[in-house]
Amino acid sequence: AQSVTQPDIHITVSEGASLELRCNYSYGATPYLFWYVQSPGQGLQLLLKYFSGDTLVQGIKGFEAEFKRSQSSFNLRKPSVHWSDAAEYFCAVGQEYGNKLVFGAGTILRVKS
Amino acid sequence: DVKVTQSSRYLVKRTGEKVFLECVQDMDHENMFWYRQDPGLGLRLIYFSYDVKMKEKGDIPEGYSVSREKKERFSLILESASTNQTSMYLCASSPGDSTGGYEQYFGPGTRLTVT
């Protein structure tokens, strides 16, 4: 069965510092991978996705993620964090049938000024 | 832009009541989903639907049912609400094919409290 692990429940970074959020997945075939962000009291917004091709994908709000098959990872990065990036971030892996997604437990990002 | 709307942002119900959560999408998507979100557990799939009148159980269907009479509308029903169903409920839709993309588009969520 598919699974997604986000090892960090909470991360605190200083404004302007770089960020990396970790995501490891378990899936037998080539995965469809996603990162979503959820601001307090809101639904989820898609940051970026990987289906195939270039393993470094660019997303919105200056985020990028790199797919590493050998490590079963899809880590999210941002070179310089802004206070508005404080939110909860979810990694998800998808399968073709039914387009179902399996989500990680989420990482809460706090940004300190 | 894809828009997914949910009928209520906040809802308070009593134990034993029948509860309806409504979700509407405006992009003619094939697939629709209901999740519940609890702290530390991420999103867990309750039910999904890949066509009108079609539904499949997700990971935690117990205590819930769904209805999809029209393509754009997907309803989640709590037959007899219980306190352990207090949660955030998120609806999502997706195009359902590789050309349309597999990503899901989410509504703003309904925070349900059962007392």
Side-chain angles (χ1 to χ4, degrees), chain A residues 21-67:
Chain A
L21 301 182
R22 296 182 290 165
C23 172
N24 292 96
Y25 67 90
S26 172
Y27 185 57
T30 299
Y32 301 90
L33 295 162
F34 306 84
W35 274 101
Y36 285 85
V37 61
Q38 185 181 35
S39 298
Q42 303 298 315
L44 275 68
Q45 180 184 20
L46 181 70
L47 281 176
L48 47 78
K49 61 188 178 186
Y50 171 80
F51 288 168
S52 64
D54 193 348
T55 56
L56 184 63
V57 294
Q58 303 296 321
I60 62 171
K61 305 185 181 190
F63 285 92
E64 67 178 26
E66 186 171 13
F67 170 56

Side-chain angles (χ1 to χ4, degrees), chain A residues 2-22:
Chain A
Q2 297 162 284
S3 66
V4 177
T5 301
Q6 292 181 246
D8 304 304
I9 299 173
H10 296 99
I11 281 186
T12 300
V13 299
S14 297
E15 191 168 16
S18 64
L19 171 70
E20 183 169 33
L21 301 182
R22 296 182 290 165

